[in-house]
């Protein structure tokens, strides 16, 4: 076991599947206690069993105001502290549809933004309020996932939410830097969750204590290659 996150207690929104679960596993390996949050009760149970004694799972809908706050309170009760939040978009069984603007419904637009942005605002708000209430600093990491469409299949709502995650994160990073609260973003273009784990561990560790308001692109150089053509 590494010790980059020793004595850290971390809440992972979307932590029962995909990138969130992979990160939670990496956090535990690096000495952290974790509370993972997911919508599906079976996924929560499996995640808690998989992560071991240093983890708890909380079932809930991240688009509801109380969910992140309840997870943070559980983290404090079980582990005596709350030091960091990682918000990873959850894999939905019934994801919002997206597509060309001329056929995009208002319901799909709102649902995409609700799943991607409202949940993130609520979790970040709960974390900031808790840090300030405890009169301590802390770290928030937001995942901005791949939104590039397949050729001929534009995804405008997804592209909007990806850009908004970055803009929102930078804005609150500037607002709360005086409270010793760091907010950073991982922007990804990979479908392999484990590729993000090292970046997540670093950004939530004390090694990144002077890193704030930054976007770390983890895409295997895809964005660089696209700029060349």
């Amino acid at each position: 076991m590494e010790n980059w996150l020793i004595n850290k207690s971390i809440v992972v929104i979307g932590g029962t599947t995909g990138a969130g679960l992979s990160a939670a596993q990496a956090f535990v390996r690096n000495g952290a206690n974790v509370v993972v949050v997911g919508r599906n009760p079976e996924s929560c149970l499996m995640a808690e069993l998989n992560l071991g004694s240093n983890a708890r799972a909380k079932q809930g809908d991240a688009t509801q105001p109380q969910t992140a706050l309840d997870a943070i309170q559980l983290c404090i009760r079980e582990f005596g502290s709350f030091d960091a939040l990682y918000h990873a978009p959850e894999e939905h069984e019934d994801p919002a549809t997206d597509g060309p603007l001329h056929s995009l419904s208002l319901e799909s637009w709102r649902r995409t933004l609700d799943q991607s942005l409202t949940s993130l605002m609520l979790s970040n708000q709960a974390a900031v309020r808790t840090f300030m209430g405890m009169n301590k600093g802390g770290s928030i990491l937001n995942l901005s996932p791949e939104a590039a469409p397949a050729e001929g299949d534009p995804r405008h709502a997804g592209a909007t939410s990806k850009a908004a995650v970055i803009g929102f994160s930078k804005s609150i990073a500037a607002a709360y830097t005086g409270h010793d609260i760091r907010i950073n973003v991982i922007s990804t273009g990979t479908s392999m969750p484990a590729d993000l784990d090292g970046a997540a561990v670093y950004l939530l560790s004390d090694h990144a204590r002077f890193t704030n308001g930054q976007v770390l692109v983890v895409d295997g150089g895809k964005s660089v290659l696209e700029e060349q053509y």
Side-chain angles (χ1 to χ4, degrees):
M1 183 181 72
E2 303 292 339
N3 61 2
W4 278 42
L5 298 173
I6 197 77
N7 296 325
K8 300 286 189 185
S9 295
I10 303 171
V11 172
V12 184
I13 305 296
T16 61
T17 59
L21 177 58
S22 185
Q25 292 168 330
F27 297 160
V28 169
R29 288 196 302 270
N30 279 269
N33 303 309
V34 300
V35 171
V36 295
V37 179
R39 293 168 58 95
N40 185 289
E42 292 182 0
S43 296
C44 289
L45 176 60
M46 293 303 297
E48 193 167 88
L49 291 173
N50 178 280
L51 291 165
S53 60
N54 286 353
R56 303 290 184 272
K58 176 73 175 175
Q59 190 271 330
D61 181 353
T63 65
Q64 299 303 308
Q66 195 65 27
T67 298
L69 182 58
D70 285 348
I72 291 170
Q73 291 174 341
L74 175 62
C75 187
I76 294 170
R77 287 198 308 271
E78 290 291 310
F79 302 121
S81 181
F82 168 61
D83 303 292
L85 172 86
Y86 183 35
H87 187 106
E90 187 172 5
E91 296 177 356
H92 287 260
E93 295 177 357
D94 51 348
T97 56
D98 200 346
L101 182 60
H102 64 270
S103 61
L104 179 63
S105 71
L106 181 58
E107 179 184 1
S108 295
W109 169 264
R110 286 174 171 167
R111 191 173 177 188
T112 297
L113 298 190
D114 206 30
Q115 291 176 355
S116 302
L117 294 180
T118 302
S119 63
L120 182 139
M121 183 280 289
L122 289 170
S123 72
N124 282 215
Q125 183 182 64
V128 166
R129 286 176 172 173
T130 303
F131 291 143
M132 294 177 70
M134 297 172 69
N135 195 28
K136 60 170 288 186
S139 181
I140 296 172
L141 179 60
N142 294 321
L143 178 61
S144 181
E146 174 64 54
E151 186 174 353
D153 183 24
R155 300 186 183 278
H156 303 303
T160 300
S161 64
K162 181 175 178 66
V165 167
I166 294 172
F168 175 80
S169 300
K170 286 188 173 185
S171 176
I172 62 174
Y176 293 102
T177 186
H179 295 273
D180 195 27
I181 300 172
R182 301 187 297 109
I183 299 99
N184 293 290
V185 178
I186 293 176
S187 177
T188 178
T190 178
S191 60
M192 301 298 291
D195 291 340
L196 309 176
D197 292 348
V201 168
Y202 162 70
L203 287 169
L204 292 184
S205 76
D206 291 338
H207 294 290
R209 60 186 175 273
F210 205 58
T211 303
N212 188 30
Q214 301 305 304
V215 180
L216 179 56
V217 179
V218 182
D219 66 357
K222 179 180 177 182
S223 55
V224 178
L225 290 171
E226 290 174 347
E227 290 173 1
Q228 305 303 311
Y229 300 98

